[in-house]
Amino acid sequence: MRIGLVGAGRIGACHAGSLSHLDSVDEVLLADPDPARVELVAADTGARPVRMAELLDHADGVVIATPTGTHPELIRRVAGAGLPIFCEKPVAADVAETRAVLSHVAAAGVALHVGFQRRFDAGFAAVREAVRTGQLGRLHTVRACTSDPRPPSPDYLAHSGGIFRDCAVHDFDAVRWITGQEVVEVSAVGGNTGEPHFAEHGDVDTAMAVLTLSDGCLASCTATRYNGAGYDVRLEACGRDSTLVAGLDERAPLPSAEPGGPAPAEPYQGFADRFAAAYAAELAAFVELVRGERESPCTGADALAALLVAEAAERSRREHRPVAVKEAA
């Protein structure tokens, strides 16, 4: 089993390490335009540096971990080679291009797994199971948050697509996946409390979206780029019978104001340590997909659905009104 990996940046290096530890993967073929970066990641993980053409000729499946702007072309190229694809979100930067890419993939007849790693987090999976088996009773409220301890660079922001498409889209996918419901309407707001380059790019550093789900359940999704306590990703599912929380552990950056209350000993500082196990699990799932042992656990249709919610949220923020998700379609 040879898995091709395109991209030797931060997430690419993470995936190279995960793939190299899978017993079912005999070799990781690594391609990136930056030879120095390839050599560094290869030295750390045992991946074999190759050119893209060689990767496509010899890989059994391909992982795409490159900047967003390169995803459409790479997905089309890998699909054209007839290979199963794992691609970090998003498939493309906008809805029209996403639809075009998914049509190409469907015509090629290859499997596509989009990287929404929270589906492979043990806590998120446990909440989903509790919801699906009725342990919580009928859901009335879902609360999700993604809080970064520090903002990305201005260069990154220029191409990120904004806080809803880049950051909160993970929460939108998680809400759909856990509840089994579709989002029908979004009301969103945003604000800037930090560096001016957010506003310069038409973005915000802090945002909130209230989602109305198809069964009437309400979900709130908050996101910020300035959470000094640490990296905080949680989801609370509240039902008539009980409540369950994902992401609430000894490292959750939630110091208590109560006398003698808990304080995190070592708060999470980024996605790499918070979701290390989830990243490894999603790539193990992709290898199972390549081997023909399972279907895609997060399809292109799932990615498009989350993107449509993000589009509706951004339109709601800009236009100061509730927006039906079907308007973004």
Side-chain angles (χ1 to χ4, degrees):
M1 169 75 69
R2 294 187 179 94
I3 298 295
L5 172 60
V6 187
R10 183 169 56 166
I11 193 62
C14 173
H15 288 339
S18 295
L19 289 167
S20 69
H21 286 97
L22 292 176
D23 292 338
S24 54
V25 175
D26 299 301
E27 190 173 39
V28 179
L29 309 178
L30 179 62
D32 188 281
D34 186 340
R37 197 156 55 187
V38 169
E39 292 297 334
L40 182 62
V41 174
D44 286 342
T45 64
R48 178 159 69 90
V50 296
R51 295 185 180 278
M52 188 66 185
E54 182 180 357
L55 183 150
L56 293 177
D57 283 342
H58 296 288
D60 297 297
V62 177
V63 173
I64 298 172
T66 56
T68 294
T70 66
H71 290 181
E73 178 186 354
L74 287 170
I75 291 173
R76 288 186 174 99
R77 190 170 177 186
V78 177
L83 299 173
I85 306 162
F86 174 97
C87 184
E88 284 297 337
K89 66 85 185 167
V91 170
D94 59 49
V95 172
E97 182 69 357
T98 297
R99 291 189 186 280
V101 171
L102 295 183
S103 294
H104 188 95
V105 170
V110 300
L112 173 63
H113 173 183
V114 184
F116 283 92
Q117 87 282 1
R118 294 181 198 183
R119 293 178 177 228
F120 296 89
D121 176 80
F124 278 74
V127 173
R128 181 178 191 264
E129 179 67 12
V131 170
R132 295 301 178 91
T133 57
Q135 295 176 38
L136 308 184
R138 181 181 174 124
L139 288 187
H140 52 76
T141 307
V142 176
R143 304 184 188 96
C145 73
T146 298
S147 302
D148 293 330
R150 63 195 64 84
S153 69
D155 288 342
Y156 178 88
L157 286 174
H159 305 285
S160 71
I163 198 166
F164 291 118
R165 299 183 190 96
D166 174 56
C167 182
V169 69
H170 282 286
D171 297 301
F172 301 152
D173 177 71
V175 167
R176 290 186 64 252
W177 182 67
I178 284 174
T179 65
Q181 302 296 318
E182 295 298 334
V183 180
V184 296
E185 187 177 80
V186 184
S187 294
V189 294
N192 282 305
T193 62
E195 297 297 325
H197 54 247
F198 286 95
E200 292 168 4
H201 292 299
D203 198 5
V204 293
D205 61 48
T206 301
M208 175 180 288
V210 176
L211 318 179
T212 300
L213 306 188
S214 50
D215 67 347
C217 178
L218 298 179
S220 66
C221 299
T222 64
T224 185
R225 305 294 195 176
Y226 287 102
N227 198 56
Y231 182 69
D232 188 14
V233 173
R234 284 174 290 114
L235 184 142
E236 305 170 23
C238 308
R240 292 181 181 177
D241 297 337
S242 189
T243 293
L244 198 59
V245 184
L248 184 60
D249 61 20
E250 69 280 357
R251 295 189 63 191
L254 297 169
S256 174
E258 301 299 327
E266 186 185 356
Y268 293 111
Q269 290 301 310
F271 65 82
D273 59 341
R274 169 64 179 85
F275 288 113
Y279 282 123
E282 73 173 353
L283 288 178
F286 175 63
V287 171
E288 292 174 359
L289 183 154
V290 173
R291 292 165 64 93
E293 298 171 351
R294 68 179 299 169
E295 300 295 323
S296 172
C298 187
T299 65
D302 289 321
L304 176 60
L307 177 61
L308 289 173
V309 179
E311 292 287 334
E314 179 61 18
R315 186 176 300 182
S316 174
R317 180 185 76 83
R318 290 181 180 274
E319 298 180 7
H320 305 286
R321 65 178 181 89
V323 173
V325 173
K326 64 182 180 182
E327 291 184 50

